[in-house]
Every structure is written in structure tokens, then in C-alpha cells.
Amino acid sequence: MKTLVLFIGLIAANFAMAQDLEDRDESFIVENNKNLLKIDIKEPFFQVAVKGCNDFQAASFEGGAAAYKEILRKYMYTYLNSDFYTLTGDFTFTLTIDAMGKVVDVTGEPKVLNSEVFFDDMQYVVRRIKKDWKPAMCNGQPVKSEMKLKMSFSSLSADM
């Protein structure tokens, strides 16, 4: 008799707990957007000549423009936070290279919606590249110079 009462009690307890559906939490469903980014860095890079220089030699990167392009592309895919902006179109970035060969400033054009966040991210990306440039030379002396890089972006926004 005790076993029968215990058995009926267990069955009743299971049915009582199984019917409690109102406390269920549905908050685990989260909507998430993800931007897929395609980057095309154009070659050649354009060196802005220093005014008043008779014997100007452009700044260069070890391995050439193709090596810098590959490093830059890899770092852009790694460090750009494209969840805050959607990029489509052509952009021009101006790298300011000092007389020591370090990139000291990065500016971008054109200014579009949320471009300031994007340009700040690009400064971070370029500063993460630890290899220095060989500085531009004017009459045998290293000088500060500017290098222009043209890039095309296309973004695809997807819900995940």
C-alpha cells in the first residue's frame, strides 16, 4: 500500500510541475545584425611630392605597396568594427609619414554618415601596423610626406 501511495504521489508531482508553463522566460531570443565587409585597396599608392624639392624620392614600405596592402587588409578585417557603420563606395585615406618613417596621422575622405567613427577605427588599424616606412627623401634628407591610398568598400548587412 505504501508503494502505491508513493507511486501515485510521484506521478501527481510530475504532472503538477509539467503544467507550470507560465513562468517560462522567452528573453533568450536576441536579434543580432552583422555587416559583411568587402575591401578593395587600389594600387598604386600616390605619394604627394614635397614643394621646393629638386631631388625627391618617395616614401616606401619594405616589400612594396603589395606587402603594405596585404597587411592593411588583414588588419582592417581584424580590427574594424563595422557593426557601427555601413560602408559603400570609394574612400581616400591620407597617411602622414614623418621623417623617421612612422605613420603619425590618418585622415579620410569623403565625410559621410558615421564616417568619423570609421575614420577613428582606420587610425587605430594603421597604428597597429608595427613596421615603419622608409621616409621620403628631399635633397638627401628624410622629410615628412603624405601617401594617398584609395579604397572601395561594399557592405552587406545580414540578420543573424
Side-chain angles (χ1 to χ4, degrees):
M1 185 71 174
K2 288 182 186 178
T3 15
L4 184 59
V5 171
L6 179 63
F7 183 69
I8 292 174
L10 286 174
I11 291 175
N14 280 336
F15 280 121
M17 292 300 212
Q19 299 302 319
D20 190 18
L21 297 176
E22 292 184 33
D23 292 336
R24 220 155 124 187
D25 187 10
E26 300 287 336
S27 65
F28 68 92
I29 299 173
V30 178
E31 195 171 314
N32 189 9
N33 293 333
K34 185 71 177 164
N35 287 332
L36 305 173
L37 185 62
K38 181 182 175 201
I39 303 168
D40 181 26
I41 303 171
K42 308 288 185 190
E43 283 188 57
F45 301 159
F46 299 103
Q47 175 73 58
V48 178
V50 176
K51 292 181 182 177
C53 185
N54 297 331
D55 182 27
F56 180 76
Q57 294 175 347
S60 61
F61 190 79
E62 182 182 331
Y68 189 77
K69 176 179 161 179
E70 287 307 310
I71 292 171
L72 182 60
R73 178 181 294 133
K74 181 177 97 173
Y75 279 46
M76 287 173 75
Y77 281 123
T78 303
Y79 296 112
L80 281 181
N81 191 357
S82 61
D83 292 339
F84 292 112
Y85 38 77
T86 302
L87 303 169
T88 302
D90 296 330
F91 289 86
T92 301
F93 290 93
T94 303
L95 308 180
T96 302
I97 304 166
D98 69 4
M100 302 299 291
K102 297 199 180 301
V103 177
V104 293
D105 192 28
V106 179
T107 57
E109 295 177 343
K111 307 283 189 231
V112 294
L113 181 65
N114 295 328
S115 64
E116 289 305 316
V117 176
F118 169 53
F119 295 153
D120 288 346
D121 280 356
M122 279 300 294
Q123 280 193 354
Y124 178 77
V125 166
V126 171
R127 287 190 176 133
R128 298 286 301 173
I129 299 172
K130 298 301 180 197
K131 284 186 175 181
D132 290 338
W133 288 74
K134 181 181 173 203
M137 304 291 273
C138 178
N139 300 326
Q141 299 296 320
V143 293
K144 180 178 176 180
S145 64
E146 293 181 343
M147 185 72 67
K148 293 199 179 275
L149 285 70
K150 293 187 182 261
M151 299 180 200
S152 292
F153 294 91
S154 42
S155 293
L156 177 64
S157 184
D159 290 336
M160 308 210 82

